[in-house]
Amino acid sequence: YIEVMGVLSYVAFFEFGLGPIPWAITAELFGAVERATAMGACSGVNWVANFIVGLTFPAINAALGSYTFLPFALVTFIATIFSHIYVPETKGKTLPEIRETMEKIRCGHTTPSKPLEENFF
C-alpha cells in the first residue's frame, strides 16, 4: 500500500506543480494562429519524454535500487534553474511584449529574468 500511496502522491503533486507548466507557457508565448501547432508540438514532446522515462525506468531501477529517483530529482532541479534563468516573466505583459523579450533572448541581447539569487531569495 505504501508504494501505491507514493505513486498517487507523486502524481497529485506533479499535477499541482510541474505538470501544467508546459501548457501554461505555450498558451502565453504563442498567438492564436500558432497556438494549435505549438500545443501539438508540446504534446508530442511530452509523450516522447514520458515514453523514454517508462522505457528506461526498469534499467535505472535495477542499477540504482533505492536511489532510483535521484536522476529524476536532478533533472527537476536543473529544469528549475533553467526556468529561473531563461524563462521570462509574463505577468502583466502583452503578447507583443513577450515576443519582443523572447526575440531579445534568442538573439542574445538580454537575459530574461532577474539574477538567479533574486529569484530564490
Side-chain angles (χ1 to χ4, degrees), residues 13-90:
F13 283 106
F14 180 76
E15 292 305 321
F16 284 111
L18 294 174
I21 289 175
W23 311 112
I25 288 175
T26 305
E28 286 186 3
L29 294 182
F30 293 96
V33 174
E34 307 96 0
R35 191 169 293 145
T37 303
M39 290 295 236
C42 182
S43 180
V45 169
N46 188 19
W47 279 106
V48 168
N50 288 334
F51 177 74
I52 291 169
V53 168
L55 194 63
T56 60
F57 184 81
I60 292 171
N61 190 28
L64 299 179
S66 62
Y67 298 104
T68 298
F69 290 98
L70 284 180
F72 300 108
L74 179 64
V75 168
T76 301
F77 179 74
I78 291 169
T80 301
I81 298 299
F82 177 87
S83 295
H84 279 287
I85 294 172
Y86 292 105
V87 177
E89 176 61 58
T90 59

